[in-house]
Amino acid sequence: MDKNSTYNISGFNASDESGTFSSDVNRVLEVLHYTNYFFLPTFLVLGLVGNCLSIIIMIRPKFKNITSSMILMALSVSDSVLLLTQPFNKRFIIQLIGTDLRALSDVGCKIFFVIFKTSKMTSSWLVVAMCVERFVAVWFPLKAKFICTRKVVRAGIISIYVFIGTYTSIWSYASKIKNGICHPDVYNASNPDEVEQFGRFLLGGVNLYSFIPIIILCILTPLIIFKLSQLTRKRRRLTGKHKTVDQKQQAESNRTTMMLLGVMIAYIVLIAPVGSLHLSAFILRKNAFGVQNSGFQIYTEVTQITEQINYAINFFLYVVTSRNFQHELKNIFRCDLGLKQSLTSSIKRRFTSVTTTKESSSDVPLDEKCGSNKI
């Protein structure tokens, strides 16, 4: 398709309506183009800083013994990798640099999309793993400590990375350089065998990335919320002002669950459009990140923005929904401030000590200062 032709997502020529639709679409594209200059670096910086702080907090004693902390650390890593690789899919970045860095070699193109797709899919399934872990913790609190052990969670995380890494590596056969641009979906649309083969991989990838995780989350998340509301009403009916140890532990677990529910709901809302993007691209026989008609290009740009938001906001969801997370974050900055103050005080004491020593040493006779050389 000629890259200068203008169509909407349905496939008809936008210029058929006296150019009105075409001018509106181009205006939207221009706005999205300029907003990318703001959103991309903003989400990149906020996401990376937030994910790094999340990892630091998760290895602190308050969260270290919570099994879900391991999942959150892995999620922060996958989200950070995604945030670092996604800018290279942006057309304005390629135009800004003057070349597609992904297309320096065919192998480099394949490796890029293996890393990119693996980070996206593992992020999805780490959210699912977190949801399953919370479901067990809320519905079966007595069995949770035997089912969701650190060993089991660690094995689950490794299995997710191995399985998805293998799948994306095989799927990388379709990642090729076309007209100087690295595409993840290059195949011969006129060859039924190639269309069928790529279609199977695409449907498998979209299901792994969004549809299956979203279905699982849509089933388990309401069940978790329902159980939490039951437990809340039950606690309110209890008499006495003092909570038992078990009640305090349950309340702590509920607060952790509320924190993770925010992540799950945000994932459902922000990732669902991305899965529909890839299916639409296949149905319309288009490259998801290639040169598109104007209508489809708007769809692509908007879904990429929602995707960036999803991978950048987890830290802020933790801050908003978890008091323990807020407390640990404050402690980090307090420690940093205390360390600076301690270091400043230490330098001052040392400087004062050296100055005092010099002043006192000036009153000592030369023989006493240097030691006696007499025999």
Side-chain angles (χ1 to χ4, degrees):
M1 183 182 292
D2 182 9
K3 77 175 186 177
N4 294 320
S5 60
T6 306
Y7 294 85
N8 69 3
I9 196 168
S10 302
F12 64 87
N13 198 313
S15 61
D16 290 343
E17 298 184 2
S18 303
T20 303
F21 181 81
S22 177
S23 61
D24 291 340
V25 168
N26 289 332
R27 193 176 298 112
V28 173
L29 281 174
E30 186 177 359
V31 171
L32 288 172
H33 178 75
Y34 286 112
T35 55
N36 269 320
Y37 283 101
F38 170 76
F39 283 130
L40 186 64
T42 300
F43 291 143
L44 180 63
V45 173
L46 291 178
L48 291 178
V49 172
N51 288 331
C52 289
L53 286 173
S54 297
I55 293 173
I56 293 171
I57 290 174
M58 289 303 154
I59 61 177
R60 291 172 71 87
K62 190 76 173 180
F63 285 91
K64 190 176 182 180
N65 295 325
I66 301 175
T67 52
S68 56
S69 65
M70 298 175 62
I71 303 174
L72 291 176
M73 284 191 287
L75 180 62
S76 295
V77 172
S78 288
D79 287 353
S80 296
V81 172
L82 191 282
L83 287 169
L84 288 169
T85 53
Q86 192 172 42
F88 296 101
N89 290 324
K90 293 288 189 179
R91 188 172 293 106
F92 82 93
I93 292 292
I94 296 174
Q95 293 172 348
L96 193 64
I97 297 174
T99 185
D100 185 358
L101 296 179
R102 306 168 302 172
L104 296 178
S105 69
D106 190 58
V107 173
C109 177
K110 294 181 185 298
I111 291 175
F112 173 85
F113 276 108
V114 167
I115 295 173
F116 180 70
K117 291 176 182 177
T118 299
S119 63
K120 290 175 67 170
M121 293 184 191
T122 52
S123 179
S124 300
W125 282 95
L126 288 168
V127 173
V128 171
M130 184 171 61
C131 183
V132 171
E133 189 270 342
R134 283 294 94 191
F135 176 79
V136 174
V138 171
W139 278 84
F140 311 103
L142 298 178
K143 297 180 180 179
K145 62 179 66 176
F146 302 105
I147 299 174
C148 301
T149 63
R150 295 182 69 81
K151 185 176 181 180
V152 170
V153 171
R154 189 181 296 111
I157 293 172
I158 293 173
S159 299
I160 288 172
Y161 277 103
V162 170
F163 176 77
I164 291 179
T166 302
Y167 185 86
T168 56
S169 296
I170 298 172
W171 192 8
S172 67
Y173 83 90
S175 299
K176 297 176 183 177
I177 300 172
K178 184 179 178 182
N179 299 326
I181 302 295
C182 175
H183 295 280
D185 47 8
V186 177
Y187 61 95
N188 186 358
S190 61
N191 187 328
D193 293 334
E194 287 194 28
V195 172
E196 184 180 359
Q197 182 183 13
F198 182 81
R200 284 197 296 265
F201 272 101
L202 178 64
L203 290 175
V206 171
N207 283 325
L208 283 173
Y209 172 56
S210 59
F211 291 158
I212 295 177
I214 286 175
I215 290 172
I216 295 173
L217 293 177
C218 286
I219 293 172
L220 296 185
T221 302
L223 292 174
I224 294 172
I225 295 173
F226 171 74
K227 191 66 174 179
L228 282 178
S229 63
Q230 275 191 332
L231 293 172
T232 302
R233 287 195 299 268
K234 184 178 179 180
R235 281 201 307 274
R236 286 175 181 173
R237 289 196 300 266
L238 293 175
T239 58
K241 296 182 179 180
H242 300 288
K243 294 182 179 180
T244 64
V245 175
D246 289 340
Q247 289 171 344
K248 289 181 180 180
Q249 290 176 348
Q250 184 63 48
E252 183 72 23
S253 176
N254 291 348
R255 282 194 290 268
T256 302
T257 302
M258 291 304 297
M259 177 182 76
L260 303 181
L261 279 174
V263 178
M264 300 171 201
I265 294 171
Y267 173 85
I268 293 172
V269 173
L270 297 172
I271 294 300
V274 184
S276 62
L277 164 69
H278 290 283
L279 279 181
S280 300
F282 177 69
I283 293 171
L284 298 174
R285 299 294 188 268
K286 300 180 184 299
N287 297 120
F289 300 109
V291 176
Q292 311 297 342
N293 62 62
S294 298
F296 196 87
Q297 193 174 338
I298 291 175
Y299 190 31
T300 301
E301 292 293 332
V302 171
T303 55
Q304 284 188 331
I305 290 174
T306 62
E307 190 176 45
Q308 282 180 318
I309 295 172
N310 176 71
Y311 297 118
I313 65 170
N314 284 346
F315 168 78
F316 302 97
L317 292 175
Y318 303 154
V319 172
V320 171
T321 57
S322 174
R323 291 182 182 177
N324 287 335
F325 195 91
Q326 296 170 12
H327 180 71
E328 290 301 311
L329 183 63
K330 289 178 183 177
N331 285 341
I332 288 176
F333 288 107
R334 283 173 185 168
C335 287
D336 289 343
L337 181 60
L339 182 61
K340 289 179 181 178
Q341 291 175 344
S342 177
L343 187 60
T344 304
S345 300
S346 177
I347 293 172
K348 285 182 178 179
R349 284 197 303 269
R350 220 173 256 190
F351 178 77
T352 304
S353 176
V354 170
T355 305
T356 305
T357 304
K358 285 182 177 180
E359 289 176 354
S360 61
S361 63
S362 61
D363 299 330
V364 179
L366 183 62
D367 288 345
E368 292 185 20
K369 281 196 295 183
C370 303
S372 178
N373 291 325
K374 296 179 181 179
I375 301 176

